[in-house]
Amino acid sequence: ACQEGGARFGVRALGHVQILEVADDEDGSYTVSYVVPEYTRGNVSLEVFLDGMPVKGSPVTPHVPVREPEVVLPLAGDDTRLAAP
């Protein structure tokens, strides 16, 4: 296990994932910030590498909740947004 920072750490996104930041916490741990766009359907995963080799448990498949599509219905000339049933 890595006990200090400075290793070559990398993350590759598979699917509709945007990696925002990869930070070395200088204590052997690394923080990855990412977002999954609202339009994403299906699975996404993150491949995680340390010194060019996949880490145990990689790829990581975060749970992405299914979002209900938004439906826009005009009500008496009003553009009110309603969630789909």
Side-chain angles (χ1 to χ4, degrees):
C2 187
Q3 300 298 318
E4 59 184 51
R8 290 183 321 146
F9 181 82
V11 179
R12 180 172 42 201
L14 303 172
H16 291 284
V17 179
Q18 180 182 3
I19 297 175
L20 302 177
E21 180 181 19
V22 177
D24 183 344
D25 297 331
E26 301 293 331
D27 62 358
S29 65
Y30 298 81
T31 302
V32 178
S33 300
Y34 63 92
V35 294
V36 178
E38 288 186 24
Y39 59 79
T40 300
R41 299 289 181 263
N43 294 331
V44 299
S45 60
L46 302 170
E47 292 182 321
V48 183
F49 301 91
L50 188 61
D51 290 329
M53 299 298 296
V55 300
K56 185 177 180 179
S58 178
V60 177
T61 305
H63 173 72
V64 179
V66 175
R67 296 178 182 94
E68 294 296 328
E70 187 176 60
V71 177
V72 178
L73 300 172
L75 299 175
D78 183 12
D79 186 17
T80 304
R81 295 184 181 274
L82 302 173

